[in-house]
Amino acid sequence: MVVYFFNARLKFKIRPTKVAIPGSIIAASAISAVDLEKREFNSYPHLKKKLLDPQLYMATVDPALDSKTVARLAAYPWFHGMTVPKYKSGEHGTRTAWKKKHKEVFVSKWTRTAPTAPEAIRAAARAAVEFQIGLGCDGILLPGPLTTMADQTLQMELEWIEAGIKACLDLKTECPIYATIALSEAVLHVPALKNPLIHSLSNYVGARSELAGAYVVLEQTDPSDYFWTSKDPLMALLILVDDLARGAGKRVIVNYAGTFGLVAKAVGAEIWSSGYFLTQRRFSLKGQMGIAHPRYHSLAMAGDIGLKADIPRITQAGIVSKVMTPTGADAVLRTAVGQGKTPADVPEWRYAPNNCSAAQEHYLTIMSTVGALLEAMSPTQRQEWVLNWLMNAVKLVDLLEHKDLLGMATDTRHQQVWLDVFEEWTSYAKQ
């Protein structure tokens, strides 16, 4: 199985795509536990299959940056023990009233650390597994802390995995079990093939028969980048996926890598997850919610093109068809630019705050369509497709830059890096 899952870190409701999105990964930070437990998942086709990311790796997030997210996370029992009060409608009334009553307490208890005492770890891991079973998840993502420069012994990471495995065995779950591997960018700025952390984690997961595989999240230092341009961390992701999938025969789920997830899929990832908005494409502890503007995703260019000025410039140069990726969501925009108009003439695509519905549908349609395309291919065909995709993207960026058609709103720094990383992995895989 090789599929795209929607990253449900924000609102669950999205416009339907032409090729149905087969499943979603729900972020604990997206919704309070009391609301998630009452959610009717049948109302959302993309949630027919679902996984819950416990996001224990967010335990160090600063409440001064995002108190709303902290309040939602702290309402799950695996962050600060079993002291979360139970919601009772007869006693508390509405769930909104319960959240309002306890928000300050939750935030005040936020220690910015994951539990470290053995008994606390076992209790928290069990709570996370029980919650996912109760939610009817199609797999269990074990909670795991973020691996940072402060402690690279992996002692805590392995204790959490062991506690999670034991909880799954005690609770007799039949769902596939995935160890969470969450790595800070700081530990990845060394040549990936010489990074002991990568091989230690893949060897450990590969040796545990109870684990179906791993759920991999990389934390980015820069909270503002939609497309990662750091070569060593990207290569580390591919080596980790390769070690687990090809080396150990394990299943790998990759999240928060944006469209680089397509590259991870070619290397062996079973599922990759992303979304249109910045917080769905990358994970950063420094990330904050803000006002979003529409971005036009070009599959041909493997990036987003600035709507306000760059699309009009490319249109005037007579080569806009080279960059546009036809979907139902952008049909009106393509018609308009074909008539010499600009995105400003198309209300759904006008560059304006929070005017992102069409842009989101366009992005998700591309992701689900390409996901289905890759699913139908053999591993060799996927690798050939990704190589050609990246090579063509680099050529297209070179053409547009040579003609001086791109401004700062268009992403052009990552394509060559991604191609270099994939070619380096290809050479390594042939050895």
Side-chain angles (χ1 to χ4, degrees), residues 4 17-20 327 364-374:
Y4 164 75
T17 54
K18 184 177 181 180
V19 176
T327 67
L364 295 179
T365 297
I366 294 172
M367 295 301 103
S368 59
T369 301
V370 175
L373 176 70
L374 293 181

Side-chain angles (χ1 to χ4, degrees), residues 342-361:
T342 71
D345 299 313
V346 185
E348 282 190 75
W349 285 92
R350 186 176 296 132
Y351 189 80
N354 298 321
N355 186 34
C356 300
S357 295
Q360 180 186 36
E361 180 185 349

Side-chain angles (χ1 to χ4, degrees), residues 247-374:
K250 295 292 188 178
R251 299 155 67 178
V252 184
I253 303 170
V254 174
N255 203 355
Y256 298 104
T259 45
F260 191 76
L262 291 170
V263 185
K265 282 194 60 58
V267 171
E270 180 178 85
I271 295 172
W272 99 98
S273 182
S274 177
Y276 166 78
F277 293 98
L278 178 59
T279 56
Q280 296 169 304
R281 297 201 211 180
R282 65 94 185 95
F283 164 62
S284 175
L285 288 172
K286 299 177 183 177
Q288 293 178 271
M289 299 298 293
I291 296 174
H293 288 78
R295 299 166 62 89
Y296 183 87
H297 187 73
S298 167
L299 180 64
M301 209 178 77
D304 296 344
I305 304 175
L307 275 168
K308 193 173 183 180
D310 293 358
I311 289 287
R313 276 197 294 264
I314 297 170
T315 301
Q316 290 175 0
I319 55 175
V320 72
S321 62
K322 290 181 178 292
V323 302
M324 299 196 84
T325 305
T327 67
D330 82 329
V332 64
L333 177 62
R334 284 183 285 113
T335 299
V337 298
Q339 297 172 347
K341 297 179 182 179
T342 71
D345 299 313
V346 185
E348 282 190 75
W349 285 92
R350 186 176 296 132
Y351 189 80
N354 298 321
N355 186 34
C356 300
S357 295
Q360 180 186 36
E361 180 185 349
H362 174 72
Y363 178 88
L364 295 179
T365 297
I366 294 172
M367 295 301 103
S368 59
T369 301
V370 175
L373 176 70
L374 293 181

Side-chain angles (χ1 to χ4, degrees), residues 116-359:
T116 56
E119 289 187 7
I121 291 175
R122 287 193 291 270
R126 183 183 178 95
V129 172
E130 283 181 322
F131 193 92
Q132 292 175 71
I133 293 173
L135 208 61
C137 291
D138 293 277
I140 303 297
L141 305 185
L142 301 181
L146 183 68
T147 301
T148 67
M149 292 294 289
D151 182 7
Q152 300 180 55
T153 65
L154 300 182
Q155 179 182 346
M156 281 294 103
E157 288 86 343
L158 301 187
E159 284 192 31
W160 274 95
I161 294 174
E162 289 294 336
I165 291 174
K166 186 178 187 305
C168 289
L169 294 176
D170 289 347
L171 294 167
K172 296 180 172 56
T173 179
E174 297 182 358
C175 293
I177 306 166
Y178 299 87
T180 293
I181 297 177
L183 302 172
S184 170
E185 180 176 349
V187 304
L188 300 175
H189 281 295
V190 295
L193 291 172
K194 297 179 180 179
N195 191 333
L197 284 176
I198 299 300
H199 300 295
S200 294
L201 287 165
S202 62
N203 288 339
Y204 178 82
V205 172
R208 295 308 303 262
S209 60
E210 303 94 337
L211 296 174
Y215 171 64
V216 182
V217 173
L218 303 187
E219 186 259 343
Q220 297 183 40
T221 301
D222 190 336
S224 61
D225 282 348
Y226 279 80
F227 299 91
W228 215 352
T229 58
S230 297
K231 184 176 179 179
D232 286 334
L234 292 172
M235 187 62 179
L237 175 60
L238 297 191
I239 295 300
L240 182 57
V241 171
D242 187 37
D243 280 357
L244 289 167
R246 188 166 60 107
K250 295 292 188 178
R251 299 155 67 178
V252 184
I253 303 170
V254 174
N255 203 355
Y256 298 104
T259 45
F260 191 76
L262 291 170
V263 185
K265 282 194 60 58
V267 171
E270 180 178 85
I271 295 172
W272 99 98
S273 182
S274 177
Y276 166 78
F277 293 98
L278 178 59
T279 56
Q280 296 169 304
R281 297 201 211 180
R282 65 94 185 95
F283 164 62
S284 175
L285 288 172
K286 299 177 183 177
Q288 293 178 271
M289 299 298 293
I291 296 174
H293 288 78
R295 299 166 62 89
Y296 183 87
H297 187 73
S298 167
L299 180 64
M301 209 178 77
D304 296 344
I305 304 175
L307 275 168
K308 193 173 183 180
D310 293 358
I311 289 287
R313 276 197 294 264
I314 297 170
T315 301
Q316 290 175 0
I319 55 175
V320 72
S321 62
K322 290 181 178 292
V323 302
M324 299 196 84
T325 305
T327 67
D330 82 329
V332 64
L333 177 62
R334 284 183 285 113
T335 299
V337 298
Q339 297 172 347
K341 297 179 182 179
T342 71
D345 299 313
V346 185
E348 282 190 75
W349 285 92
R350 186 176 296 132
Y351 189 80
N354 298 321
N355 186 34
C356 300
S357 295

